[in-house]
Structure formats: C-alpha cells, structure tokens
Amino acid sequence: MGILKKDSHFFFVFYIPNPNQGPNDNNNDIDCDGVVNETDNCINTYNPYQIDQNNNGVGDACEDFPKIGMGTTGPKRELHLSNTDVYIDNPEKGIILKDNNGTCYKLTMSNGAIQTVVVPCPQ
C-alpha cells in the first residue's frame, strides 16, 4: 500500500507496510493474487478467482486452450478478432458472460441501449 503525495513538481510514494503481513509473506504469494502458493492453482499468474473449468487442478489462467483467430494467423487469446467487428443481426441474440460467482448474463441491444439479463449458463 502506498500514499502518493505531490510536492511542487515531484510525486513521492511512501510505502506503508501491512501490519498483518509477516516479513516473508510476499514469498508465499508470488503472483500477488491473494492466494498462497501452496493452494494456488496457477502459481505464477495472477488469478484471484482460481477458476478451473475442467477440474484438472490447473487454473484456467495457466492452461493452453485452443485459439481461434479471425483476421490473424497467430491468435493471442482463445478468440482473437483482429481489425474486425462482431456483428449480431438478431436482436434476440447477444453475448453471454459468466461472472466470478457463476452467474451468466446475456448482453443484448434494445433501442440503442445495452441490456443485461440473467440467463442459464451454457452447458
């Protein structure tokens, strides 16, 4: 934790140690995601929610899932759209997003505004 203080033309950052953190605690969470190394399912990658969709003990943040690219031959993520748009022509269709609590939301357009509604998560 730090405090940023401006003095004339300079910024100063002061480190204030966490009183609940021991001297070697930084080594117990090397990716700083709030999960100690002993129980972290992806020890070198920040993943505070520890999501493991296929329950193999390896966090999704560390798995190499298949990648699909549109407009690129070297996709960087599971779905990588380069220099293109996503067009959904049916107003009843949208994008489904799952939050960290496992609830799915569908994003759709209605009269120029983005609408969200809770939907069953795809199986």
Side-chain angles (χ1 to χ4, degrees):
M1 179 178 202
I3 296 175
L4 187 65
K5 195 170 186 177
K6 185 177 179 185
D7 180 24
S8 193
H9 303 288
F10 299 97
F11 286 96
F12 298 95
V13 177
F14 300 95
Y15 175 71
I16 300 173
N18 181 344
N20 300 319
Q21 185 174 358
N24 296 320
D25 283 354
N26 286 337
N27 294 332
N28 290 332
D29 181 17
I30 60 176
D31 61 3
C32 299
D33 61 5
V35 181
V36 294
N37 297 339
E38 292 78 26
T39 58
D40 197 328
N41 67 10
C42 188
I43 196 168
N44 292 311
T45 302
Y46 179 84
N47 63 330
Y49 299 118
Q50 301 290 294
I51 295 171
D52 180 13
Q53 293 282 338
N54 58 6
N55 296 313
N56 68 351
V58 178
D60 290 355
C62 282
E63 295 213 57
D64 189 22
F65 292 103
K67 295 174 175 60
I68 299 169
M70 294 177 194
T72 179
T73 57
K76 295 177 175 52
R77 302 297 303 170
E78 288 79 23
L79 176 60
H80 178 167
L81 306 174
S82 178
N83 199 29
T84 190
D85 294 320
V86 174
Y87 175 64
I88 301 172
D89 64 353
N90 184 336
E92 294 179 359
K93 301 296 179 183
I95 299 171
I96 298 174
L97 301 173
K98 186 176 185 180
D99 74 6
N100 59 317
N101 294 320
T103 303
C104 287
Y105 297 87
K106 184 184 222 178
L107 281 67
T108 59
M109 288 294 291
S110 177
N111 298 319
I114 295 176
Q115 306 291 316
T116 60
V117 61
V118 175
V119 296
C121 292
Q123 298 297 322

